[in-house]
Amino acid sequence: MIRFLALSLCASSAAAESGLAAWLRYAPLQGGESYHSSLPSHIVALNTSSASPVYVAGQELQQGLQSIYGKQCNVHHSSNGASSSIVVGTLDEYTKAYGSLNNTPDLIEDGYWLSTESSPVQILGKNERGAFNPNAPVRWTNEWDNLDGSIERGFAGNSNWFANGVIVSNLTRTAEYARLLASIGINAVVVNNVNANASLLTPQNIEGLGRIADVMRPYGVQVGISLYFSSPISGVKGQANLTTFDPLDESVVTWWTNVTSQIYQQVPDMAGYLVKANSEGQPGPLTYNRTLAQGANLFAKALQPHGGIVMFRAFVYNNLNETDWYADRANAQIQFFKPLDGEFDFNVIIQIKYGPIDFQVREPASPLFANIPKSNAAIELQVTQEYLGQQCHLVYLAPLWKTILDFDLRVDNESSLVRDVVSGQRFNHSLGGYAGVVNVGTNDTWIGSHMAMSNLYAYGRLAWDPTLDSQYILQEWIRLTFNADQSVVNTMTQISMESWPAYENYSGNLGEQTLTDILYTHFGPNPQTQDNTVWGQWTRADHTTIGMDRTVSNGTGFAGNYPPEIAAMYENIATTPDNLLLWFHHVNYTHLLHSGETVIQDFYDQHYAGAATAQTFATMWESLKGKIDDERYYDQLFRQVYQAGHSLVWRDAISNFYHNISGILDVANRVGNHPYRIEAESMQLDGYKPYTVIPFEAASNYTAIVTSSNTTTGTAQTMITCPSGTYDIAVNYFDQFGGDSHFVVSLNNVTIGEWTANLKPWIGSSEGPRVLGHTPSIYIDGHSATRITFSNVTVAKGDMLKIVGTPNGIEPAPLDYVSLLPLGIVD
């Protein structure tokens, strides 16, 4: 009902806002008093316990009516006989208070009935968490918080729950987060990292989990935890220390039974466990030659007396030898889990990433959804943008998720949409659902960016109803989060709906995955890290060919993991969609796409097109000045300007890399041809020296300049040779973690701009001037590469352009190039 109230919001004032309230702002409605006569005067919440979601719903309704319409309503906890009332409660409590109801639909767990056709208005739930009949029973978030307070793949500050190995005392933010999640239908939060720490199971931390649960319970949100498989031998303070973690050993069974009972004493409604086992160095049942099903069932049986469930991650794979043409990490989930179908206990759900690899910008739907019909399944989506710009690039993810949820796997030649598999509908399971990796932090924006919160909202809405249109969800979120001004809605809609295609185009198109650095930050470009590793995210690019051959006839056989109709489509290069061509086929760079273009030329074209689209986002955002509050306007503008610059880094890096490896020219003569650039190494240098950048494609002309020492100020200058006029002067430089270099740019010794390289990541609790939040890099590379632009500068031919760089810490004031851009020209 929080969502019901929020959706009545229309236009609001543009007062400064931090983003903390997200879509639950309850901003005053202009002329709201004119609605008073048609609004209820009383609220009846049929529960007197302040820990009850029904009680909290009554308070929420009261707050919303007051904030939006300026109408004060009293809250009662039993029938008051007033005709002008809203009644909220369970069906059972309503029947006790008011008598039986006619024409109510059959409600499933968490479902609710809303009726405004008579008085009193009725908001009645099957249980106290009631929210429109959800598509699936499990709608969880996964938070990768560590006990030390850091967050793996978190880009918005420190943990809201943990610090220094224990659970924090102030859980105010926990309550606020539970309120947000309740409004979008999320019913549980796994509060700690899947790469878990056994110390979560100390008596002190178990007591802390009870405090978290107490804070979340009034919103109908349960607590779950991730487990470290070998906890019994980890010397957990306050628990027995065993010499084995074999899941079939009786002492291990007893250990987990006792620990689970201890947790339920503190958290009687705990949702259950999330388990990552035998993956990326994590221990698991395979250590003892036990099956993954035996490992999952160990926890399932411990939870069964308490009603809990196990979310067992299917993200299991071994290191691979790239020289083996038939090796393929994408096959791992099928190899590990298909033979075990039917062996998992009834309260185990296999949690499957949406694609076979790892949250890439585009992947085919995981075939595992079609291969375990006897097992419960859930889809794992990633709200945090680990591989997709880390909240520094705007990427609205709902359209990506919809390509997976709406995909028809055609099991037994029948309709088998992924969304119907994970809901349990397709294979007649009572359990199934959604897991969203969110990783909220202490930043007021929750996940690091105001616009990125559209992804959390969309995740909740799709988990609840996956048939919803992604643009419909987006516009709903815009109206709630900002306002209903049509120009605001239209502008944010256009930027957001163009963002995923743009990011795919400038990061990795044709199914080639996100061509980021998989060995380091997962942020900037570094395509060569995909290959020559054991991690199996290969592109198999050489001087003449590119792509993974995943056919049955000549490759890894992955295509054959799908049901016959889909397998046939992907096996045949003629029927494979262009946007997944290189996922399934190894081809020449000159192979013709369905579009008629060659693979390599499409690479060039799409990387330039994607970056060009990203340039428009900042300009469109600037049209919102005065239409939304200044605080969020300027914060997001900062990010759009950053994305515009970094998209050019991506464009150039990927284009240059494949131009270099293939030796094939861009027919449009763009790649490597930059008429407006002045390479820093070509300038007159004093205190600076050339520096060969690794990877080579991260810098223009493969070279940057750095100061000759970390205590030497450097000067780079050159005479302007372009025609006199008005230009935008763009400076590409590198912002490394570990130093805050200072730069001054001048014309004829007249300063036109200066800045400090401190686009800080979230480290500790200090924001700094502007916080981007992405995983930092200590190197001069594609992660640290960025740009600053000084607009509308009057330049005369023969002027002396000079940049003075002062190093700081480990950062040697690194510069890449300067561009003098005629107005309206993109470098």
Side-chain angles (χ1 to χ4, degrees):
M1 65 248 0
I2 295 175
R3 176 179 167 269
F4 160 73
L5 228 169
L7 287 176
S8 64
L9 173 65
C10 289
S12 64
S13 62
E17 299 186 43
S18 68
L20 187 62
W23 51 84
L24 294 180
R25 298 158 56 239
Y26 293 169
L29 181 66
Q30 187 174 2
E33 64 279 354
S34 64
Y35 295 90
H36 282 198
S37 61
S38 61
L39 293 171
S41 300
H42 302 276
I43 299 166
V44 179
L46 296 175
N47 197 302
T48 60
S49 171
S50 60
S52 163
V54 170
Y55 182 97
V56 171
Q59 303 297 311
E60 197 74 34
L61 286 164
Q62 183 184 48
Q63 177 188 342
L65 290 168
Q66 172 65 43
S67 298
I68 298 172
Y69 298 103
K71 181 163 185 176
Q72 179 64 46
C73 296
N74 294 323
V75 179
H76 310 276
H77 297 289
S78 61
S79 174
N80 65 349
S83 59
S84 179
S85 299
I86 300 177
V87 179
V88 57
T90 64
L91 282 170
D92 288 345
E93 291 300 324
Y94 183 90
T95 300
K96 292 177 185 177
Y98 291 91
S100 61
L101 278 168
N102 296 320
N103 302 319
T104 56
D106 291 333
L107 296 178
I108 63 175
E109 202 71 6
D110 288 1
Y112 80 72
W113 161 253
L114 168 65
S115 175
T116 60
E117 294 181 354
S118 60
S119 185
V121 173
Q122 301 153 358
I123 307 175
L124 307 175
K126 175 74 171 180
N127 57 32
E128 291 194 342
R129 291 195 303 269
F132 282 126
N133 277 358
N135 175 261
V138 171
R139 304 176 306 282
W140 292 15
T141 72
N142 293 178
E143 313 289 341
W144 291 356
D145 294 42
N146 298 312
L147 297 189
D148 64 2
S150 63
I151 304 175
E152 183 175 343
R153 307 305 176 191
F155 312 111
N158 288 338
S159 173
N160 289 295
W161 300 291
F162 303 107
N164 302 314
V166 297
I167 293 170
V168 300
S169 58
N170 185 347
L171 294 173
T172 301
R173 285 285 294 248
T174 302
E176 293 169 342
Y177 187 45
R179 176 174 174 258
L180 282 178
L181 295 182
S183 74
I184 54 173
I186 301 301
N187 57 6
V189 178
V190 177
V191 296
N192 65 305
N193 196 349
V194 290
N195 296 313
N197 186 322
S199 296
L200 181 67
L201 302 179
T202 66
Q204 180 182 5
N205 279 331
I206 290 175
E207 182 275 333
L209 292 172
R211 290 188 288 108
I212 293 176
D214 290 345
V215 168
M216 288 188 165
R217 189 174 296 111
Y219 297 95
V221 179
Q222 297 172 275
V223 169
I225 61 172
S226 296
L227 297 181
Y228 187 57
F229 203 95
S230 63
S231 291
I233 67 168
S234 299
V236 179
K237 184 179 180 180
Q239 307 291 357
N241 191 33
L242 307 183
T243 58
T244 180
F245 58 92
D246 180 351
L248 299 190
D249 187 283
E250 283 302 319
S251 66
V252 174
V253 173
T254 300
W255 196 95
W256 283 112
T257 300
N258 290 339
V259 166
T260 301
S261 295
Q262 292 172 39
I263 296 171
Y264 274 95
Q265 287 173 7
Q266 296 291 331
V267 189
D269 56 351
M270 185 181 72
Y273 293 146
L274 171 63
V275 180
K276 176 180 179 179
N278 290 117
S279 176
E280 299 181 324
Q282 292 287 307
L286 302 183
T287 305
Y288 294 92
N289 294 317
R290 310 304 188 190
T291 70
L292 294 171
Q294 289 171 323
N297 293 342
L298 165 70
F299 305 109
K301 287 178 169 57
L303 288 165
Q304 284 165 9
H306 310 281
I309 63 175
V310 177
M311 300 286 278
F312 198 83
R313 292 182 96 220
F315 188 57
V316 179
Y317 66 95
N318 295 320
N319 291 345
L320 300 171
N321 178 4
E322 189 181 10
T323 62
D324 180 357
W325 179 257
Y326 303 103
D328 190 355
R329 170 174 159 184
N331 283 326
Q333 294 179 2
I334 300 293
Q335 293 165 347
F336 279 110
F337 284 89
K338 183 176 181 179
L340 301 176
D341 188 33
E343 296 184 17
F344 294 92
D345 277 9
F346 69 89
N347 59 329
V348 174
I349 300 177
I350 308 305
Q351 182 170 311
I352 306 167
K353 289 189 177 184
Y354 62 78
I357 295 293
D358 195 7
F359 302 131
Q360 299 298 290
V361 70
R362 186 182 294 273
E363 297 184 53
S366 172
L368 188 59
F369 292 116
N371 278 275
I372 51 170
K374 299 176 184 177
S375 305
N376 302 313
I379 188 169
E380 183 175 336
L381 304 174
Q382 194 173 44
V383 175
T384 189
Q385 296 168 222
E386 174 185 354
Y387 287 96
L388 307 180
Q390 300 185 357
Q391 280 87 290
C392 302
H393 292 237
L394 192 161
V395 184
Y396 178 51
L397 296 173
L400 184 163
W401 298 336
K402 286 285 285 181
T403 66
I404 303 295
L405 293 171
D406 294 345
F407 188 78
D408 192 345
L409 291 161
R410 303 298 299 164
V411 178
D412 298 328
N413 297 319
E414 297 179 10
S415 177
S416 306
L417 302 179
V418 170
R419 66 179 189 238
D420 293 336
V421 173
V422 301
S423 72
Q425 174 186 330
R426 175 62 179 85
F427 299 125
N428 298 313
H429 294 302
S430 60
L431 280 180
Y434 295 77
V437 182
V438 181
N439 300 351
V440 294
T442 52
N443 179 269
D444 282 351
T445 66
W446 290 102
I447 59 177
S449 160
H450 297 292
M451 290 298 287
M453 281 293 277
S454 62
N455 292 324
L456 176 55
Y457 186 86
Y459 167 68
R461 298 289 279 121
L462 287 172
W464 177 338
D465 182 358
T467 68
L468 290 175
D469 176 71
S470 56
Q471 182 168 304
Y472 171 84
I473 295 170
L474 172 67
Q475 293 184 339
E476 188 177 81
W477 173 80
I478 293 168
R479 287 190 290 269
L480 294 172
T481 302
F482 291 95
N483 59 57
D485 182 313
Q486 198 57 48
S487 64
V488 172
V489 173
N490 291 346
T491 299
M492 292 187 181
T493 297
Q494 182 177 353
I495 295 172
S496 298
M497 293 303 292
E498 291 179 357
S499 62
W500 172 49
Y503 191 86
E504 178 180 21
N505 282 343
Y506 65 72
S507 67
N509 60 320
L510 298 180
E512 191 64 342
Q513 308 176 85
T514 313
L515 295 171
T516 188
D517 191 329
I518 67 168
L519 303 179
Y520 189 32
T521 69
H522 295 189
F523 179 61
N526 193 350
Q528 59 190 284
T529 64
Q530 309 286 316
D531 295 295
N532 304 310
T533 74
V534 299
W535 299 108
Q537 290 184 222
W538 306 322
T539 70
R540 295 201 187 279
D542 58 28
H543 293 297
T544 57
T545 57
I546 187 172
M548 281 287 291
D549 187 339
R550 290 186 162 105
T551 64
V552 175
S553 59
N554 189 53
T556 71
F558 172 79
N561 291 326
Y562 290 93
E565 287 185 48
I566 307 304
M569 177 179 68
Y570 289 144
E571 180 76 14
N572 188 342
I573 197 169
T575 55
T576 300
D578 281 348
N579 59 24
L580 286 173
L581 173 72
L582 300 181
W583 180 277
F584 285 100
H585 300 279
H586 187 73
V587 299
N588 291 322
Y589 288 108
T590 54
H591 172 82
L592 289 180
L593 304 172
H594 298 307
S595 66
E597 196 55 82
T598 65
V599 166
I600 189 63
Q601 190 58 46
D602 190 74
F603 246 56
Y604 298 150
D605 291 347
Q606 298 312 319
H607 280 79
Y608 270 80
T613 299
Q615 306 311 301
T616 69
F617 293 166
T619 302
M620 284 192 283
W621 189 264
E622 286 174 334
S623 72
L624 301 179
K625 185 171 175 57
K627 298 178 181 179
I628 64 173
D629 59 286
D630 281 354
E631 184 171 353
R632 292 185 294 173
Y633 168 81
Y634 282 112
D635 187 78
Q636 192 62 38
L637 177 60
F638 162 71
R639 292 173 182 278
Q640 296 315 139
V641 170
Y642 174 83
Q643 182 175 5
H646 202 233
S647 69
L648 297 179
V649 173
W650 267 98
R651 179 200 72 186
D652 290 352
I654 304 303
S655 297
N656 286 333
F657 179 82
Y658 287 103
H659 175 265
N660 180 277
I661 196 173
S662 71
I664 299 175
L665 296 177
D666 168 24
V667 297
N669 197 31
R670 297 159 299 186
V671 178
N673 181 26
H674 304 288
Y676 304 108
R677 287 187 188 176
I678 303 169
E679 298 293 344
E681 65 272 16
S682 72
M683 299 170 75
Q684 180 182 336
L685 306 180
D686 182 11
Y688 265 121
K689 62 182 180 180
Y691 176 86
T692 301
V693 173
I694 299 174
F696 72 87
E697 67 274 10
S700 184
N701 199 36
Y702 320 143
T703 308
I705 61 172
V706 297
T707 54
S708 56
S709 77
N710 279 28
T711 58
T712 302
T713 297
T715 300
Q717 57 185 345
T718 189
M719 183 176 292
I720 300 297
T721 59
C722 64
S724 300
T726 302
Y727 293 83
D728 292 337
I729 297 181
V731 182
N732 269 52
Y733 66 103
F734 300 88
D735 187 356
Q736 299 165 261
F737 182 63
D740 296 333
S741 299
H742 187 74
F743 299 90
V744 179
V745 59
S746 63
L747 279 174
N748 301 325
N749 292 318
V750 176
T751 299
I752 61 173
E754 60 181 297
W755 72 99
T756 299
N758 59 357
L759 300 175
K760 295 182 180 297
W762 270 102
I763 299 294
S765 59
S766 174
E767 284 197 27
R770 285 288 184 188
V771 176
L772 276 174
H774 67 78
T775 303
S777 172
I778 63 173
Y779 303 111
I780 296 173
D781 57 19
H783 318 300
S784 59
T786 187
R787 154 181 291 219
I788 189 169
T789 301
F790 302 97
S791 301
N792 300 308
V793 178
T794 300
V795 174
K797 187 175 182 178
D799 283 351
M800 184 62 69
L801 174 68
K802 181 168 65 175
I803 301 177
V804 177
T806 304
N808 176 265
I810 69 166
E811 186 178 72
L815 291 169
D816 189 1
Y817 64 86
V818 180
S819 287
L820 269 68
L821 302 171
L823 301 187
I825 296 294
V826 174
D827 186 18

